[in-house]
Amino acid sequence: MSCNLIETVGGHKVARPIKTEQEYREIRNSSVQLANLRQARSGNAAAKGRLVQMNYSGHYPNGAVKGTKLPADAFGFDLDDREEFERVATLLLASPEAFGLLMLERSASQGGHAVFRRERGKTILENQVRIASELQCEMDTSAHDINRVYFSTTAAPEELLFLSSELFTDAYDEAAVADEARVLEERERYGREELPPGAHKANKHYRPWAENCGESSRAGTDPAREETVENSIVLENQGDSSTDGPDPAVEKSKEILDACYLGIPYASIIAKWWELYNDGKTPVKSNRDVLTFELAVNLRHICGFDRAVMDAVIPCYDGFPHEQKMKCIDSALAEKRTQMPRRLRDVLTELKKDNVGNDEVFSAIEEAEQEDDLYYYKRLSRVAQPLGIRESIKSTGPKMAIPVISVCCPMIGALATNVKVKIHGKVVQLNIHAFVVGEAASNKGDLDAIVDAWMVEQIALNALYFAQEQDYRNRKRQAKNKKEQPEEPHLPVRFLTMNNTVANLAERLANCDGKHAFSFTPEADTVAAKWRSSMCDFSTMLRQAYDGSRYDREAKSADATTVHIDHLLWNVCMCGTPDALYRVISNYTDGLLSRFVIAHTPDNTFAPLEEKPYLMTDALREKIGQVAHLLPFMQGTLDLPKLEERSRQWVERLRRDALKDDDRVRARARLRDHGTAMRMVACLILCAVAERLIKQHGLAGAKRELKQNPNLTNEMAQKCQTPAMLEAYDVLADSLIENDMLYFRDKLECASGAGVMGSSERQARGKNDRVYDRLSEVFNFEQAMGAKGNGCSRNAVKQMLKNWHNQGLIEYLNGGRYQKIATTK
């Protein structure tokens, strides 16, 4: 028979056969499955997508789902109507053998699924029509794909109503079925199936028994509906699907109105939203557009991005026309999808404190928050976690994926010092700076072990160099009054401490022989304290290091440090609290911020202690060391056209979004974030190259291949531009700009005059100034929107008004009105 667990590995669906009933039940009863089922039945569409997926119709000898055409000895059958499912279940359970029943289960939403024996020589659709006719039930004529999956529930008796051990028997003649598959394909392709005419049309409510037998009723149906059955096919052909009984749309609306999110009524969530973000007041006529839009943008994450659900749960405030409310909802749904917004999570946390719900609900909220922490990790395919990166993430846990990658990339760029990458026509080296932000006790310390693993060879070299320098200092002290003085060694120390002076650091960088240096500090306060009086020099050095530009430092004294570096190559990584971040990056417009990768650790304030803490093991350390050992032998310029095109698409999408919202801060942030993201993905690609070489040639052979073929790195990097790796670019770029906005949006707006970069006096520059001139001295939001013209979004008008307020052009009045206080120049 056939029972396969469908999983996604490396961006591709694969099938794993379930061979025993015990294994099948264990998969359905896992803690993750139980949590996802709870959330799915509370209206969380994303949770439903995470349920266990089973296939009963196909045979997958190689595990690959795509392209498989071998039918199994079973087939699945959907029963979407709840009442009809109960009726059919009674018939099936009364005599399962008569119908060839192998499995019967309730679904996560409504109705259920059944699995039957397949009659040999007939297609799945023919078998489904046969069962629907025997049971006199509706069927979906488009649900006969051989690779169709079914979202499972649990193995509890009230969920899994029937299960036959025959489903797991291994009596499959692959050669015979392959011949049969060719015959079935021809039957289907050339229309030789023995089917009623209506079965060839897409119809979710097809009744083959009515068409086959000329019957107008089915056993157990309501007499009031019997008259409609006979004419169902005619009505379908006429485009009229109406039947007697309750309107399904109305019934669905009623069901939605009573629905909850994780056991919390939507009404309670919305009430708490207004309490936190609008002083407990619901929207009124003057502000209902923008406030409804804001509510919808946040609420969509817990409504499954379902327009009908949002329509049902969001009220029409203060006489709001329904059509206008739906425009707000549609605009919200059109916005880019992100992880659950912080403000919405705060609402749910406050409701948790208010004891709205029960312990099971609170547990589900915690699980939802954990899923939110895994947002970026789940977008990163395994292919985008090559050797070295994969082990680093394993040592800290998947929630730390982005902070880990942010720490690893500067080290990879420094170790692969002979590699360059072409970004938008310009060849640059892999110069990357990173700052990992996290509250106290937020697991930032776990990154120390990762740094030690990647820099193990440099740490060993440092020990030798420091011993030689100590020997020099000892000899110098002994020869203090002698004529002959020992010569001072200039050693290429590349792993540099941040607890240093400008002069010493400049001298160390000059001694690196044109190779990258790397610095890491687990406490950014060290930098803020040590460089307090010379923070401008520190900022300048970091900016020049990111650009790889020339660095010069001269002094008159013979004993003072004078250095001339053609290309300053110095990658830096720091960890610290948000306060430390603001002390290190204190000037928000000098370009230092835009050159930093900012990542943050997940919020573990209410997280329980891990049963098995994540640790850096010797096995993980060894694999990371293999990649780190190969990186210095890589060389050449990476020309990555697919990555280049993906970057251009991302930049253009951000430009259009920022232009639509008149968001100059976000528009400027994208200008360097896209290049930094390309450098980071290039680092991931280098790790993928190393992994392939090690698998093909072993560590020693990989090193030999890199030495013999200088172009090998670029040639193999071309092949690593997979869809998963390109998706990793979007993940990293999105993370970069979102963290920039999270920590610095308000500061950038204040520092730059809310969008007028580099100007001390405001100038009239564009159409928004003409909009300003057209408005009266006192106006409201709707008037501003009308003056801006058709086609503009409410968010764009809101941003325009915010800019005017920050620029001193308007002030807020009561009742959602605005007063002009200046004129444009």
Side-chain angles (χ1 to χ4, degrees):
M1 285 299 168
S2 175
C3 180
N4 299 286
L5 175 65
I6 306 300
E7 301 174 307
T8 301
V9 177
H12 302 283
K13 282 193 173 183
V14 297
R16 178 168 69 84
I18 307 300
K19 299 180 179 180
T20 65
E21 181 177 339
Q22 180 182 355
E23 181 184 6
Y24 181 78
R25 292 182 180 275
E26 287 176 353
I27 291 173
R28 293 180 64 126
N29 278 339
S30 69
S31 58
V32 174
Q33 174 74 352
L34 295 174
N36 285 331
L37 181 60
R38 265 199 318 270
Q39 296 177 43
R41 286 183 169 164
S42 298
N44 189 331
K48 181 179 179 181
R50 297 193 295 267
L51 291 173
V52 169
Q53 299 180 34
M54 293 289 184
N55 170 274
Y56 304 97
S57 309
H59 178 67
Y60 307 95
N62 299 319
V65 171
K66 186 176 181 180
T68 296
K69 297 181 179 180
L70 293 178
D73 292 333
F75 68 94
F77 191 88
D78 276 313
L79 292 158
D80 292 333
D81 184 79
R82 184 181 288 110
E83 293 182 1
E84 188 165 73
F85 173 78
E86 297 299 334
R87 179 186 67 82
V88 170
T90 303
L91 294 174
L92 292 174
L93 294 176
S95 54
E97 189 62 31
F99 294 98
L101 181 66
L102 299 176
M103 192 278 292
L104 182 65
E105 67 172 352
R106 298 188 191 279
S107 68
S109 53
Q110 58 183 1
H113 312 130
V115 177
F116 300 93
R117 293 191 199 95
R118 181 178 65 85
E119 280 191 11
R120 290 292 182 88
K122 293 186 177 181
T123 63
I124 293 176
L125 182 57
E126 287 177 299
N127 277 275
Q128 288 177 336
V129 167
R130 172 180 60 81
I131 287 295
S133 298
E134 291 175 0
L135 295 172
Q136 293 193 358
C137 64
E138 294 180 347
M139 63 168 286
D140 184 353
T141 58
S142 60
H144 60 273
D145 184 66
I146 198 171
N147 297 322
R148 185 173 180 81
V149 298
Y150 295 87
F151 292 102
S152 302
T153 52
T154 72
E158 63 272 15
E159 303 283 357
L160 184 59
L161 304 180
F162 181 84
L163 181 64
S164 171
S165 59
E166 187 180 346
L167 193 63
F168 310 101
T169 57
D170 187 13
Y172 193 85
D173 188 344
E174 192 167 310
V177 173
D179 294 335
E180 183 190 11
R182 286 191 289 271
V183 174
L184 295 179
E185 186 177 2
E186 290 181 2
R187 284 169 61 86
E188 188 173 356
R189 180 182 300 172
Y190 298 111
R192 297 172 183 168
E193 297 171 288
E194 298 176 3
L195 293 170
H200 295 289
K201 300 177 182 178
N203 184 0
K204 289 183 175 293
H205 306 287
Y206 178 54
R207 297 183 175 94
W209 47 272
E211 189 172 359
N212 277 336
C213 307
E215 298 177 359
S216 61
S217 65
R218 65 170 182 253
T221 57
D222 190 325
R225 298 183 59 188
E226 292 180 358
E227 297 178 2
T228 66
V229 176
E230 187 175 30
N231 299 321
S232 59
I233 305 299
V234 177
L235 290 174
E236 177 195 346
N237 293 336
Q238 292 174 349
D240 182 1
S241 60
S242 63
T243 60
D244 294 339
D247 186 347
V250 174
E251 292 300 310
K252 182 177 181 181
S253 297
K254 291 179 180 178
E255 183 179 337
I256 292 172
L257 285 170
D258 296 330
C260 301
Y261 173 71
L262 304 178
I264 304 176
Y266 282 109
S268 300
I269 296 173
I270 293 174
K272 179 59 70 173
W273 175 273
W274 299 130
E275 178 184 334
L276 293 180
Y277 304 121
N278 201 40
D279 297 327
K281 301 175 183 177
T282 58
V284 295
K285 185 175 181 180
S286 59
N287 60 17
R288 63 194 181 190
D289 289 84
V290 65
L291 293 184
T292 299
F293 171 79
E294 284 185 359
L295 174 65
V297 163
N298 287 271
L299 210 60
R300 60 185 179 149
H301 294 81
I302 58 174
C303 292
F305 293 87
D306 191 315
R307 188 174 186 264
V309 175
M310 296 176 69
D311 178 25
V313 302
I314 297 178
C316 290
Y317 291 105
D318 197 18
F320 204 13
H322 181 263
E323 295 78 7
Q324 197 67 18
K325 183 190 80 169
M326 292 311 298
K327 287 183 179 180
C328 293
I329 291 175
D330 290 338
S331 297
L333 290 172
E335 292 290 310
K336 180 184 175 183
R337 294 191 181 189
T338 64
Q339 55 186 326
M340 184 183 290
R342 172 70 63 177
R343 295 206 296 172
L344 183 58
R345 291 172 59 184
D346 290 344
V347 168
L348 297 176
T349 302
E350 289 297 318
L351 288 169
K352 178 179 176 180
K353 294 177 182 177
D354 295 342
N355 292 324
V356 176
N358 51 45
D359 292 340
E360 184 176 334
V361 172
F362 299 157
S363 175
I365 291 176
E366 290 176 358
E367 291 166 1
E369 290 175 347
Q370 291 174 10
E371 289 294 333
D372 190 41
D373 289 334
L374 294 170
Y375 171 74
Y376 286 116
Y377 175 77
K378 289 193 171 183
R379 288 179 63 189
L380 286 171
S381 167
R382 181 179 173 82
V383 180
Q385 299 175 41
L387 187 67
I389 298 295
R390 187 164 62 246
E391 285 66 32
S392 299
I393 294 175
K394 285 182 179 179
S395 72
T396 59
K399 295 180 186 178
M400 291 280 285
I402 295 299
V404 166
I405 293 175
S406 301
V407 170
C408 290
C409 286
M411 292 187 288
I412 295 169
L415 293 172
T417 188
N418 299 316
V419 176
K420 299 179 181 180
V421 62
K422 184 182 291 186
I423 298 179
H424 303 333
K426 183 179 180 181
V427 177
V428 299
Q429 291 190 275
L430 299 176
N431 307 327
I432 305 171
H433 304 320
F435 196 115
V436 177
V437 190
E439 300 293 343
S442 61
N443 298 323
K444 296 189 301 294
D446 293 349
L447 302 173
D448 297 3
I450 295 176
V451 174
D452 292 343
W454 281 93
M455 304 301 291
V456 60
E457 294 185 0
Q458 294 302 319
I459 292 173
L461 287 174
N462 277 11
L464 294 176
Y465 295 149
F466 293 156
Q468 294 180 46
E469 289 180 344
Q470 184 61 42
D471 179 63
Y472 160 74
R473 285 191 288 269
N474 292 338
R475 288 187 289 111
K476 185 174 178 64
R477 278 195 298 269
Q478 294 171 2
K480 184 175 182 180
N481 298 321
K482 294 182 180 179
K483 185 177 181 180
E484 295 290 336
Q485 293 289 319
E487 183 178 354
E488 181 179 2
H490 297 282
L491 302 172
V493 178
R494 295 176 59 196
F495 190 9
L496 306 178
T497 177
M498 298 287 287
N499 191 3
N500 213 334
T501 64
V502 176
N504 288 342
L505 187 57
E507 186 175 7
R508 288 289 196 193
L509 292 170
N511 293 336
C512 285
D513 298 333
K515 297 181 178 180
H516 273 85
F518 174 74
S519 294
F520 171 76
T521 176
E523 297 294 342
D525 284 321
T526 301
V527 176
K530 188 72 177 180
W531 296 68
R532 181 177 299 173
S533 60
S534 54
M535 194 58 88
C536 183
D537 292 336
F538 177 69
S539 174
T540 301
M541 290 181 71
L542 286 178
R543 282 180 279 146
Q544 290 182 276
Y546 179 90
D547 299 335
S549 57
R550 183 176 182 81
Y551 177 76
D552 297 289
R553 187 178 191 274
E554 296 223 0
K556 289 184 178 180
S557 173
D559 295 329
T561 301
T562 297
V563 297
H564 300 283
I565 304 174
D566 291 336
H567 300 284
L568 182 58
L569 304 176
W570 179 36
N571 289 0
V572 172
C573 183
M574 294 179 272
C575 300
T577 62
D579 289 341
L581 171 66
Y582 296 135
R583 283 194 290 271
V584 171
I585 305 179
S586 56
N587 188 327
Y588 314 121
T589 57
D590 66 354
L592 180 60
L593 166 62
S594 62
R595 290 173 170 88
F596 257 91
V597 174
I598 298 178
H600 67 84
T601 57
D603 184 4
N604 64 343
T605 306
F606 299 105
L609 289 176
E610 297 283 353
E611 292 291 335
K612 294 182 179 179
Y614 295 97
L615 298 171
M616 175 65 75
T617 64
D618 291 339
L620 297 177
R621 193 176 291 109
E622 180 183 358
K623 291 181 179 180
I624 293 172
Q626 291 177 355
V627 179
H629 182 72
L630 283 185
L631 290 174
F633 297 96
M634 296 183 180
Q635 54 187 309
T637 299
L638 305 183
D639 188 2
L640 307 171
K642 293 181 180 179
L643 180 61
E644 169 84 14
E645 179 60 27
R646 190 62 165 248
S647 175
R648 289 183 178 276
Q649 292 173 2
W650 185 87
V651 172
E652 179 61 17
R653 185 173 71 249
L654 264 289
R655 185 189 73 84
R656 289 179 177 274
D657 289 345
L659 184 63
K660 178 182 67 175
D661 299 334
D662 197 20
D663 190 346
R664 290 181 61 87
V665 174
R666 181 178 286 268
R668 293 206 63 81
R670 73 188 166 95
L671 296 178
R672 276 208 178 100
D673 283 349
H674 77 282
T676 302
M678 279 193 71
R679 298 184 190 193
M680 296 176 73
V681 175
C683 292
L684 300 185
I685 287 176
L686 292 181
C687 292
V689 170
E691 182 175 11
R692 292 189 180 187
L693 286 172
I694 292 172
K695 285 182 178 179
Q696 294 173 5
H697 307 286
L699 184 60
K703 185 164 61 174
R704 182 179 62 253
E705 291 292 322
L706 288 170
K707 288 181 178 179
Q708 293 176 351
N709 187 354
N711 297 322
L712 181 60
T713 302
N714 182 47
E715 292 172 0
M716 296 190 68
Q718 299 278 344
K719 301 175 183 178
C720 293
Q721 297 177 90
T722 60
M725 196 64 77
L726 299 180
E727 172 65 18
Y729 173 86
D730 288 343
V731 174
L732 295 175
D734 288 347
S735 173
L736 287 178
I737 200 160
E738 286 181 16
N739 283 316
D740 286 347
M741 297 299 100
L742 174 64
Y743 290 104
F744 288 99
R745 173 183 277 282
D746 293 339
K747 298 180 183 296
L748 285 170
E749 288 178 345
C750 294
S752 61
V756 187
M757 302 289 184
S759 175
S760 59
E761 182 178 9
R762 189 187 188 284
Q763 302 292 325
R765 295 191 176 188
K767 64 180 182 180
N768 283 349
D769 293 291
R770 294 190 292 274
V771 172
Y772 183 92
D773 293 337
R774 287 197 294 266
L775 291 167
S776 59
E777 292 299 314
V778 178
F779 60 93
N780 58 26
F781 184 88
E782 285 75 14
Q783 291 170 335
M785 190 162 185
K788 192 167 175 66
N790 296 328
C792 68
S793 66
R794 286 167 177 74
N795 200 31
V797 176
K798 179 187 173 186
Q799 186 66 42
M800 177 183 71
L801 295 173
K802 183 178 179 181
N803 290 347
W804 285 351
H805 180 263
N806 291 335
Q807 295 162 11
L809 297 177
I810 62 172
E811 62 181 357
Y812 299 133
L813 301 178
N814 293 331
R817 296 177 301 156
Y818 307 90
Q819 168 75 54
K820 285 186 178 181
I821 58 176
T823 58
T824 56
K825 297 181 181 180

